[in-house]
Amino acid sequence: NERAKAIYDYLKATGRFIDVAKLNEKQSHVGLKAVLGSLGYQMLESNKLDGDDKKIRVDTLEEFIDLLAYNLSDVVNLGELFNSNVYSSNFKLKKQLLETYPELMYQKKPDAYAPDIAPDKVKTGSSRMYIDSSSSKLAAHALCPYGHLDDIEGVSFLYPSARKAKERGIEQIDVLEEANKFLHANFPEGSEAVKAWNKVYEKYSSFRGKNYNDSKEYVEKWGYHEVHSLKGVHPIPIMYYKADGTPSTCFANFSTGGIHGAECNLPLYYEDLHAWQHKQYVRELFKLRAQHDLAGIGGLGHMPSDQECVTYLAANKITEIADPKDPNIVYSLKEVATYTAKKAKWKVLKQPQLFTETEGKISKRYVYTSVGECEHEDFTSYYPNLLINLEAFYNEQLGYDRYAEIFDLKQKYGKDMKNKELYDELQRKLFSILREGTKLILNSASGAGDQSFYSPIRMNNMIISMRLIGQLFTWRIGQAQTLEGANIASTNTDGLYAFIKSDFFGHNEDVLARESDVIHVEIEPEPMVLISKDANCRGEFTQKFDILTASGGSLGCWEDPKTTKSLSHPALLDRGLLFYMQYMLRHGISFYEEPDKAAIERIVRDIISDDDLDHVLRLAQNIFKSSRGSMNWNFAYKDRALSEDNSKFYTYEDLRILDYYVRGYFVSKDAVLSRRIKGLHIAKANGRTIPDKTLAKRIAANESQRVIDPQCREVMKTVGLYDDIISAGNRDMVIEKVTGADPENFIHFDNRSIYNLTDEEKRHIISCLDVNKYVDEIAKAYKSQWQNTRTVESMELYRAHPTCQAM
């Protein structure tokens, strides 16, 4: 309410209070207990709060103690959270930024572009920065503490800036035109490569000179220019092409943000395309036969329609036809049509698409997991260097480019933090914090400059220009390597992962050096072994298959649950999956193979036998969450009975409504039935929105417009959601499965802090874990997200791949 907000604002204005949640910018709106739970701390709820916490019910001293414990738990554990790495490091980092740049807090001196450091000169309003201010705000106000920086008039492909070019004695180039020359110099006009590139060139050319900045500051500088928008601009995928003009199996996806790309299952696509073309041919043969016969019969007076053709064929039992090119080959009508004695119709023959039409992403069927020895080619501080070379944040009032100065400081602090000869451990830690502060400004500046609202460094045209130039450079480097025989298995904004033949490694260094001179950014190649599904999901290994790092939705928490990620499954699944893929690498197992559950089970048992019991429990836990906003609530039950069709929940015994957040461990059936540990099933009562089509069907069938499960209704009444669902009018009340938990799974719920359990209690929970459940989920994740689809050609392609030969 307004009063609470006013109190919050006044507390913040003093500069003596911080909002701890904002120190974790990736999850600043996630509930405290969800983050605490992921770290293994207590999640204590109160059943003395009515519905949405508007009314508190306390009738006895014991109830008062419970309520007090609930509130104290949040306060005490907030301190534990604050001391965890993400929160404490961001606090130190941003506190140091305020000390380094006092202009973030103090007003400008009347006679100089510098802070007036005095108690009565503290800034007020939105320009005052705090320890918990966002990274983009801190970056913007550090680069331009007073006034604002001017944007360029329109999008430009000129690089570097005129002043930088003069300083270095080099020529300023139009990056788009240079890329165009590069492509045409390597492929003939009319080739597939040129046709594909022209789509990119035409789209990028359409951005040139246009204005995407609608701020009043832009108008004051340049006058009114038509304002354009990037909304609705679709990404443009393009294959990397080999020297002979044929496409490699890899592609890059141009967009208005960053460039991304991966390898695709091209053999499978060609196989599907061939099958589609074959069926088109077969259908045409049958249609021609029907048209010929119907024309001979006469009387139609028109060319027979497709439907008339298939009806005639089925009615006259013309179900086979010989290929006119080879009469020994006979085709069946069943390939292209369905028919009965009463009805016939052609099958839908949908042409396979390698990329989705709107997003330009690889179609799900052709997603491919790349595996093998590669070079990770990291473009050193890519965006920062591009911004420096373009002088994007040159501040005329300061008289220099503070962004470039901060970049130089980052480099200096990086060296100082490793220098044990000149600095002691405390000093080196300070340099590490200072370096992180510079990185925060450098990495946040491009986002802060491309806002749709006021920012002192708002310059949409400049940032869009930089991003487009960066994508062109990245693609050009990847394409240059492909011409020399490399396969660019993963394309990212700031680097490439290139599969390279063993005899090409030396020459590749020359290619990179040549392209590095063009972009004026260093490229640092690092040999490694890569498993990559797309630009964001991958595992990186040493050449001896030791794990370096991993990222993505099914691997990102392989080390531990992270407060920066919202995890909807046990982190043990990430760890087990990564270890299993490492096992596949070490044993030369193809990613076309089915999951080896015996191997996965050995890996899971090895993980849970670790001596660090707290770590094992953090990995094994699953944090289940209800949602008032989505109107669903989790509950547990002892046994279940199924309806006659064996698909829907029917009755429940010993139902227990769960807390909003609850920690659960999957435990084995034997452990529960032998009463070694308590275990319940889980389901959710859901106030599910009724789709319009479903509602229309119910009305047409004269059925009840909403489905209300009596058990769901009781749960919703208990948790205070019933009235909201009824008043919404377009929601059912049904019982549904909880994501990641099957109805037959047993779950042991325990919201106590892992660290307050005795070692005996920890070992007991671990000994009762349902190993088969974790194994099944890891196998399922591998099969659905990482396993490649085998084709007739794919195994030969896999065996012939230079990276596979290297392994």
Side-chain angles (χ1 to χ4, degrees):
N1 57 35
E2 291 184 12
R3 185 177 180 185
K5 186 178 184 307
I7 294 172
Y8 175 86
D9 290 342
Y10 287 137
L11 286 172
K12 290 296 298 298
T14 65
R16 297 179 180 274
F17 295 85
I18 60 167
D19 189 337
V20 175
K22 291 185 176 180
L23 295 175
N24 181 358
E25 293 184 53
K26 291 186 177 179
Q27 292 223 85
S28 60
H29 297 290
V30 174
L32 171 63
K33 289 181 177 63
V35 186
L36 287 172
S38 70
L39 293 175
Y41 292 108
Q42 180 188 44
M43 296 183 292
L44 186 61
E45 299 279 0
S46 172
N47 60 1
K48 303 306 171 189
L49 302 176
D50 188 13
D52 56 3
D53 298 359
K54 291 177 182 176
K55 181 181 175 184
I56 299 176
R57 309 188 312 277
V58 178
D59 299 316
T60 67
L61 178 60
E62 185 177 348
E63 289 176 347
F64 173 73
I65 292 171
D66 287 344
L67 186 62
L68 188 63
Y70 156 70
N71 285 281
L72 286 174
S73 172
D74 281 356
V75 175
V76 171
N77 285 312
L78 178 62
E80 298 285 3
L81 181 67
F82 179 76
N83 288 325
S84 66
N85 182 54
V86 168
Y87 294 86
S88 62
S89 61
N90 273 323
F91 175 84
K92 293 172 185 175
L93 169 60
K94 293 182 176 182
K95 179 176 180 292
Q96 187 61 52
L97 277 176
L98 296 182
E99 293 175 5
T100 304
Y101 300 105
E103 50 266 52
L104 293 170
M105 297 180 290
Y106 293 98
Q107 298 173 21
K108 177 181 170 295
K109 286 182 177 179
D111 55 351
Y113 195 82
D116 192 352
I117 303 174
D120 60 340
K121 298 299 180 181
V122 173
K123 286 181 176 179
T124 58
S126 59
S127 64
R128 163 75 187 277
M129 296 295 105
Y130 304 94
I131 289 174
D132 56 6
S133 293
S134 70
S135 298
S136 62
K137 279 189 174 182
L138 286 165
H141 289 272
L143 294 173
C144 184
Y146 311 111
H148 67 272
L149 303 184
D150 289 322
D151 197 2
I152 57 176
E153 189 171 5
V155 170
S156 168
F157 292 100
L158 293 177
Y159 178 88
S161 70
R163 182 161 39 199
K164 280 287 181 185
K166 186 176 180 181
E167 271 180 23
R168 296 176 180 176
I170 58 176
E171 184 182 352
Q172 191 180 37
I173 62 170
D174 185 303
V175 176
L176 179 58
E177 295 306 320
E178 289 298 315
N180 192 45
K181 289 178 189 175
F182 163 79
L183 194 284
H184 281 84
N186 288 286
F187 299 101
E189 199 64 41
S191 64
E192 182 184 339
V194 169
K195 289 176 182 177
W197 161 254
N198 283 344
K199 293 178 183 178
V200 178
Y201 179 74
E202 288 167 12
K203 176 57 68 178
Y204 271 36
S205 293
S206 71
F207 298 137
R208 194 194 302 275
K210 287 183 178 176
N211 168 43
Y212 294 86
N213 190 334
D214 64 356
S215 68
K216 65 181 182 63
E217 290 78 17
Y218 176 87
V219 175
E220 288 171 1
K221 171 69 176 177
W222 299 106
Y224 178 76
H225 288 50
E226 182 183 356
V227 181
H228 297 269
S229 173
L230 293 176
K231 289 182 180 177
V233 176
H234 300 313
I236 310 170
I238 182 173
M239 304 302 293
Y240 285 111
Y241 287 89
K242 295 183 282 189
D244 63 2
T246 60
S248 71
T249 55
C250 305
F251 68 93
N253 201 0
F254 284 90
S255 71
T256 53
I259 192 169
H260 297 288
E263 193 166 13
C264 59
N265 199 334
L266 208 58
L268 180 61
Y269 168 69
Y270 285 143
E271 197 171 284
D272 288 350
L273 188 62
H274 175 75
W276 174 79
Q277 290 168 336
H278 166 74
K279 288 179 180 177
Q280 293 280 87
Y281 174 67
V282 172
R283 177 184 287 187
E284 194 62 29
L285 290 180
F286 276 107
K287 279 174 62 178
L288 288 171
R289 167 66 191 274
Q291 289 169 358
H292 177 271
D293 288 1
L294 288 168
I297 294 169
L300 279 179
H302 65 273
M303 176 64 73
S305 67
D306 282 3
Q307 185 57 50
E308 286 170 333
C309 286
V310 73
T311 301
Y312 168 79
L313 292 165
N316 290 275
K317 298 183 179 180
I318 304 171
T319 58
E320 290 188 342
I321 195 167
D323 190 327
K325 299 174 184 175
D326 185 350
N328 293 319
I329 301 175
V330 178
Y331 303 120
S332 169
L333 184 63
K334 288 181 180 179
E335 280 193 75
V336 292
T338 58
Y339 49 89
T340 63
K342 295 181 179 180
K343 191 175 181 182
K345 65 177 181 177
W346 296 110
K347 289 180 180 177
V348 175
L349 301 182
K350 193 173 181 181
Q351 182 175 354
Q353 298 294 326
L354 190 56
F355 300 100
T356 59
E357 290 184 16
T358 54
E359 295 180 329
K361 293 180 180 177
I362 192 76
S363 296
K364 188 175 180 181
R365 177 166 169 77
Y366 306 117
V367 169
Y368 184 78
T369 299
S370 305
V371 184
E373 193 171 347
C374 78
E375 269 199 356
H376 176 208
E377 293 152 1
D378 183 43
F379 304 166
T380 309
S381 302
Y382 194 43
Y383 270 13
N385 270 303
L386 291 178
L387 290 166
I388 290 168
N389 289 331
L390 288 166
E391 291 189 306
F393 299 116
Y394 188 91
N395 191 328
E396 297 287 354
Q397 298 177 86
L398 278 174
Y400 66 94
D401 188 346
R402 176 172 277 185
Y403 189 84
E405 178 187 64
I406 291 171
F407 179 79
D408 291 338
L409 284 172
K410 184 195 82 130
Q411 303 297 85
K412 178 182 180 298
Y413 294 146
K415 293 177 182 177
D416 290 344
M417 62 187 259
K418 297 175 184 177
N419 192 332
K420 294 182 180 181
E421 293 182 7
L422 291 179
Y423 306 108
D424 60 29
E425 185 179 356
L426 193 61
Q427 288 173 309
R428 294 199 306 275
K429 282 184 179 179
L430 175 60
F431 288 134
S432 177
I433 294 171
L434 289 170
R435 184 174 183 272
E436 289 303 310
T438 60
K439 283 176 63 178
L440 183 141
I441 293 175
L442 295 171
N443 295 334
S444 301
S446 60
D450 191 24
Q451 305 280 15
S452 59
F453 47 84
Y454 174 77
S455 166
I457 61 169
R458 180 177 176 183
M459 41 183 65
N460 307 85
N461 297 331
M462 172 60 82
I463 300 302
I464 292 170
S465 299
M466 181 275 295
R467 287 174 176 158
L468 298 181
I469 288 170
Q471 290 187 60
L472 289 166
F473 281 147
T474 300
W475 164 80
R476 175 171 169 166
I477 295 166
Q479 181 56 65
Q481 290 182 91
T482 305
L483 287 169
E484 302 287 352
N487 249 24
I488 309 302
S490 183
T491 300
N492 293 284
T493 301
D494 58 355
L496 303 165
Y497 292 82
F499 286 161
I500 299 168
K501 295 176 184 176
S502 56
D503 59 352
F504 175 59
F505 274 95
H507 181 49
N508 188 54
E509 305 296 320
D510 298 333
V511 175
L512 293 178
R514 182 186 71 212
E515 298 303 324
S516 177
D517 287 343
V518 176
I519 66 176
H520 306 293
V521 173
E522 289 183 20
I523 302 174
E524 298 178 359
E526 175 190 7
M528 63 172 57
V529 174
L530 177 72
I531 299 174
S532 176
K533 186 181 73 169
D534 56 44
N536 299 312
C537 299
R538 60 180 175 268
E540 298 176 16
F541 305 81
T542 67
Q543 291 166 303
K544 292 183 178 180
F545 306 127
D546 296 323
I547 297 169
L548 291 170
T549 184
S551 60
S554 60
L555 296 178
C557 292
W558 72 277
E559 293 176 291
D560 226 339
K562 294 181 179 179
T563 57
T564 54
K565 291 184 178 291
S566 179
L567 197 60
S568 59
H569 59 265
L572 194 151
L573 304 187
D574 291 24
R575 191 172 186 83
L577 178 58
L578 185 63
F579 283 9
Y580 175 62
M581 293 197 292
Q582 180 189 41
Y583 166 85
M584 294 178 70
L585 287 176
R586 285 178 168 160
H587 291 79
I589 300 172
S590 162
F591 273 64
Y592 294 105
E593 298 299 329
E594 293 294 310
D596 181 346
K597 285 195 173 183
I600 297 173
E601 181 178 342
R602 290 194 297 272
I603 288 167
V604 170
R605 292 193 182 280
D606 188 54
I607 291 171
I608 65 176
S609 65
D610 190 89
D611 291 337
D612 189 342
L613 304 179
D614 293 341
H615 186 219
V616 173
L617 289 178
R618 286 197 305 272
L619 290 171
Q621 69 178 355
N622 198 0
I623 306 299
F624 296 100
K625 174 182 177 291
S626 297
S627 172
R628 290 192 176 277
S630 300
M631 296 187 183
N632 61 64
W633 204 278
N634 295 329
F635 65 92
Y637 56 98
K638 186 175 181 180
D639 291 303
R640 68 185 179 89
L642 295 175
S643 61
E644 291 179 4
D645 65 1
N646 202 42
S647 63
K648 297 180 180 177
F649 298 106
Y650 190 63
T651 60
Y652 302 87
E653 294 180 12
D654 298 336
L655 184 145
R656 170 185 158 192
I657 295 173
L658 296 172
D659 292 338
Y660 194 85
Y661 296 105
V662 64
R663 176 185 291 113
Y665 301 95
F666 291 108
V667 289
S668 71
K669 182 178 180 179
D670 289 344
V672 174
L673 297 183
S674 63
R675 299 192 178 184
R676 288 180 56 216
I677 197 166
K678 290 182 180 179
L680 298 170
H681 304 295
I682 191 172
K684 70 177 175 183
N686 190 15
R688 180 181 62 192
T689 301
I690 306 169
D692 292 340
K693 287 184 179 179
T694 301
L695 184 60
K697 285 181 181 178
R698 290 176 183 175
I699 293 172
N702 201 27
E703 298 175 350
S704 173
Q705 292 185 25
R706 63 196 313 177
V707 174
I708 298 183
D709 180 283
Q711 192 65 69
C712 181
R713 178 178 57 211
E714 293 309 308
V715 173
M716 293 307 188
K717 283 184 176 180
T718 304
V719 299
L721 283 172
Y722 178 79
D723 291 340
D724 291 338
I725 295 172
I726 291 296
S727 61
N730 66 333
R731 288 178 178 267
D732 291 332
M733 290 190 210
V734 293
I735 303 294
E736 293 182 344
K737 171 185 167 182
V738 173
T739 302
D742 296 322
E744 63 270 19
N745 294 148
F746 284 94
I747 301 169
H748 174 68
F749 298 102
D750 192 339
N751 274 12
R752 293 177 298 169
S753 171
I754 288 172
Y755 314 109
N756 290 340
L757 303 177
T758 64
D759 284 354
E760 184 181 356
E761 288 175 308
K762 294 173 187 177
R763 290 192 181 94
H764 179 67
I765 295 173
I766 293 169
S767 71
C768 293
L769 291 176
D770 186 353
V771 171
N772 290 333
K773 169 65 176 177
Y774 294 104
V775 169
D776 287 345
E777 291 299 320
I778 291 168
K780 189 188 301 181
Y782 162 76
K783 192 170 178 62
S784 64
Q785 300 178 50
W786 296 87
Q787 184 183 4
N788 286 325
T789 303
R790 192 190 301 273
T791 70
V792 174
E793 297 176 61
S794 61
M795 261 327 281
E796 293 179 9
L797 179 83
Y798 179 83
R799 292 194 184 101
H801 201 293
T803 56
C804 297
Q805 292 174 346
M807 288 170 54

